[in-house]
Amino acid sequence: MTKRAQASIKLGLSMRHVLCLGWKLVILLSVALCVFAFLRIQQYSQSTAALPRKSRFLAYDFNGNPKNVDRAKFSIYIHSEPGFVFDESTTRSTVFFDRQLRNSIKVAWGEASMIQAERILLEEALQDPANQRFVLLSDSCVPLYNFSYIYSYLMGSPRSFVDSFLDKKDDRYNPQMSPAISKQKWRKGSQWVTLIRRHAEEVVDDEIVFPIFKKFCKRRPPVDASKGRKNLKLQKQHNCIPDEHYVQTLLSMKDLETELERRTVTYTVWNQSTTNMDNGGWHPFTFSYADAGSEQIKRITDINHVYYETEYRTEWCSNNSTSAPCFLFARKFSQGAAMRLFSQGVVGNFDVSTLLEAPP
């Protein structure tokens, strides 16, 4: 995804049905983006248009406190395969019961449907005026701290956390996007963003950038041996991964970068081997049981800066101008890694026995 040097660490955590259990903030659990067991990769429907503006509570209409106690502190929204229901037959985690969106869509990796799903999640979450922070996570994300710390960290900052940088080596910008999207405003970064309410509204209300991304930012088809020489033509197509550019470019175009901490709070290790490149690109490293010890976790929580080599920029991590650890969550972790993490109390007390048996 991003070409940048981060501290190289192995660790582990995950848990398909428990990952963010207990978060006291708005959690946008985008199952459709990462749980391939729940979806089949299909071509995104060309008929899907940009989301229309919808009636919702505005921030200045809300006079209460942001969600901040127990279940009143968080809301969970799940974008899963259309028709999939979270209930006692599919998960043992009651916080996920009936939290799936009714208007979910089929999602294909590397297509505009990825960012469409994010917009649908944000639109739904914005209907609740108590939701003031919006965190996009996958099913393989786990917390690195207890809830109180994470809640205070995010609510204590007036900024969004958006990994955003200018990749001078990048060739994903399509000149056909001009003049609506200029090369100077083109940005790259991680899709795992944390937005304040006003920025979430910008994403949902966007009627200009998304349609252009849908038309001109598409993944190049992978090499298919059965197509023979036709691959030469296919590989000449412009290659663009929408979810690694959309939010970053939109906020750049809105001149909102001064309102961002230009980094993600979700840690990922990318496998950048030649073999993986040949197989279609870099992929996040999946951490196993052996990688989920307390020492490995501590190495991640000790990270206090990120170096962006294409900008020669070091981002010293801070929260509201105060030095802080860079990461609150981490991915991508196996169930075994998660079991070890929780059973040993690395990030807090949790009764693992509640997850050992499959749902009835």
Side-chain angles (χ1 to χ4, degrees), residues 99-154:
R99 298 308 302 167
Q100 71 282 344
L101 302 186
R102 305 299 180 184
N103 59 338
S104 63
I105 61 173
K106 290 287 186 179
V107 173
W109 181 83
E111 298 295 337
S113 53
M114 294 283 282
I115 54 179
Q116 177 74 347
E118 295 178 14
R119 285 156 52 86
I120 292 173
L121 281 164
L122 291 171
E123 175 65 38
E124 183 69 21
L126 282 167
Q127 300 305 312
D128 186 340
N131 292 338
Q132 299 294 308
R133 299 293 184 275
F134 303 80
V135 183
L136 186 67
L137 298 170
S138 78
D139 75 303
S140 64
C141 291
V142 293
L144 298 175
Y145 299 93
N146 61 31
F147 162 70
S148 297
Y149 182 86
I150 292 177
Y151 184 87
S152 297
Y153 189 111
L154 296 180

Side-chain angles (χ1 to χ4, degrees), residues 2 25 65 77 152 159 176 182 184 188 223 263 342:
T2 59
L25 48 109
N65 294 321
Y77 302 87
S152 297
R159 298 169 178 263
Q176 291 180 287
S182 70
Q184 289 70 31
K188 186 179 182 182
V223 175
R263 60 183 176 86
F342 285 98

Side-chain angles (χ1 to χ4, degrees), residues 78-93:
I78 304 175
H79 188 286
S80 58
E81 178 177 318
F84 188 92
V85 177
F86 283 82
D87 56 24
E88 61 277 0
S89 69
T90 57
T91 178
R92 299 188 66 86
S93 300

Side-chain angles (χ1 to χ4, degrees), residues 35-241:
V35 189
F36 296 114
F38 289 165
L39 48 88
R40 296 184 295 275
I41 305 302
Q42 295 187 357
Q43 183 77 19
Y44 179 52
S45 172
Q46 296 299 313
S47 63
T48 303
L51 286 174
R53 295 175 182 266
K54 296 183 180 180
S55 174
R56 60 171 176 267
F57 285 98
L58 299 178
Y60 49 75
D61 294 326
F62 179 62
N63 296 319
N65 294 321
K67 291 189 172 179
N68 57 9
V69 290
D70 299 323
R71 290 205 180 189
K73 285 186 177 180
F74 70 91
S75 300
I76 294 176
Y77 302 87
I78 304 175
H79 188 286
S80 58
E81 178 177 318
F84 188 92
V85 177
F86 283 82
D87 56 24
E88 61 277 0
S89 69
T90 57
T91 178
R92 299 188 66 86
S93 300
T94 59
V95 294
F96 297 138
F97 283 4
D98 201 34
R99 298 308 302 167
Q100 71 282 344
L101 302 186
R102 305 299 180 184
N103 59 338
S104 63
I105 61 173
K106 290 287 186 179
V107 173
W109 181 83
E111 298 295 337
S113 53
M114 294 283 282
I115 54 179
Q116 177 74 347
E118 295 178 14
R119 285 156 52 86
I120 292 173
L121 281 164
L122 291 171
E123 175 65 38
E124 183 69 21
L126 282 167
Q127 300 305 312
D128 186 340
N131 292 338
Q132 299 294 308
R133 299 293 184 275
F134 303 80
V135 183
L136 186 67
L137 298 170
S138 78
D139 75 303
S140 64
C141 291
V142 293
L144 298 175
Y145 299 93
N146 61 31
F147 162 70
S148 297
Y149 182 86
I150 292 177
Y151 184 87
S152 297
Y153 189 111
L154 296 180
M155 295 303 299
S157 174
R159 298 169 178 263
S160 292
F161 294 87
V162 179
D163 184 44
S164 177
F165 61 96
L166 177 63
D167 189 353
K168 297 178 181 178
K169 301 177 182 178
D170 181 68
D171 61 356
R172 292 181 179 176
Y173 175 77
N174 190 334
Q176 291 180 287
M177 293 180 170
S178 180
I181 300 177
S182 70
K183 182 68 178 292
Q184 289 70 31
K185 294 294 184 179
W186 182 251
R187 299 290 185 271
K188 186 179 182 182
S190 167
Q191 76 180 101
W192 309 112
V193 299
T194 297
L195 303 177
I196 61 175
R197 189 175 180 91
R198 187 164 74 85
H199 294 167
E201 290 173 344
E202 292 285 0
V203 173
V204 170
D205 291 341
D206 167 40
E207 297 178 343
I208 297 175
V209 179
F210 176 73
I212 294 175
F213 263 70
K214 181 180 174 183
K215 185 175 182 179
F216 296 115
C217 184
K218 299 180 180 181
R219 177 174 64 99
R220 179 187 298 139
V223 175
D224 185 346
S226 66
K227 294 182 178 180
R229 301 182 67 177
K230 187 178 180 181
N231 279 305
L232 296 176
K233 181 178 180 180
L234 292 175
Q235 294 309 301
K236 291 181 180 179
Q237 294 182 21
H238 195 273
N239 190 46
C240 184
I241 310 300

